[in-house]
């Protein structure tokens, strides 16, 4: 699920990326090579999850709600 994916990304950032940066065990260029844009990916999916949870309230329909959510975020998904 989206919630599980966000949780997994969060774990990678908090348990691996942040400690490696703080300990300075690797050059920043190596950290960037390993983790690339994971923080941006996490930020996007946290926001996407919040939007998803907001639309999944009583009375929603998957076809309209999910399609609208993807349409709203299409530009961010491309980058």
């Amino acid at each position: 699920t989206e919630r599980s994916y966000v949780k997994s990304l969060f774990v990678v950032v908090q348990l691996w990326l942040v400690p490696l940066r703080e300990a300075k065990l690797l050059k920043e260029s190596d950290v960037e090579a390993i983790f690339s844009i994971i923080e941006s990916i996490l930020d996007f999916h946290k926001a996407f999850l919040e939007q998803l949870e907001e639309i999944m309230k009583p009375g929603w329909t998957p076809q309209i709600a999910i399609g609208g959510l993807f349409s709203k975020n299409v530009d961010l998904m491309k980058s």
Side-chain angles (χ1 to χ4, degrees), residues 7 28 39-40 68:
K7 185 177 179 179
E28 186 60 29
E39 291 168 304
S40 297

Side-chain angles (χ1 to χ4, degrees), residues 17 21 26-38:
L17 175 59
R21 277 192 178 142
L26 300 173
K27 293 184 289 185
E28 186 60 29
S29 60
D30 292 334
V31 173
E32 289 299 319
I34 294 167
F35 294 99
S36 189
I37 60 168
I38 194 168

Side-chain angles (χ1 to χ4, degrees), residues 5-6 9 35-46:
Y5 183 58
V6 169
L9 288 171
F35 294 99
S36 189
I37 60 168
I38 194 168
E39 291 168 304
S40 297
I41 294 169
L42 174 59
D43 290 342
F44 170 79
H45 282 280
K46 282 176 18 183

Side-chain angles (χ1 to χ4, degrees), residues 7-79:
K7 185 177 179 179
S8 296
L9 288 171
F10 182 80
V11 167
V12 170
V13 168
Q14 293 302 308
L15 295 183
W16 293 97
L17 175 59
V18 171
L20 277 173
R21 277 192 178 142
E22 289 175 353
K24 299 187 189 293
L25 295 173
L26 300 173
K27 293 184 289 185
E28 186 60 29
S29 60
D30 292 334
V31 173
E32 289 299 319
I34 294 167
F35 294 99
S36 189
I37 60 168
I38 194 168
E39 291 168 304
S40 297
I41 294 169
L42 174 59
D43 290 342
F44 170 79
H45 282 280
K46 282 176 18 183
F48 189 78
L49 177 60
E50 288 174 10
Q51 294 171 37
L52 188 59
E53 290 174 335
E54 181 64 30
I55 64 170
M56 293 180 65
K57 294 191 174 183
W60 74 285
T61 61
Q63 296 81 6
I64 295 170
I66 303 299
L69 184 58
F70 277 95
S71 294
K72 180 179 176 180
N73 290 284
V74 70
D75 289 335
L76 294 171
M77 291 180 190
K78 290 180 186 178
S79 50

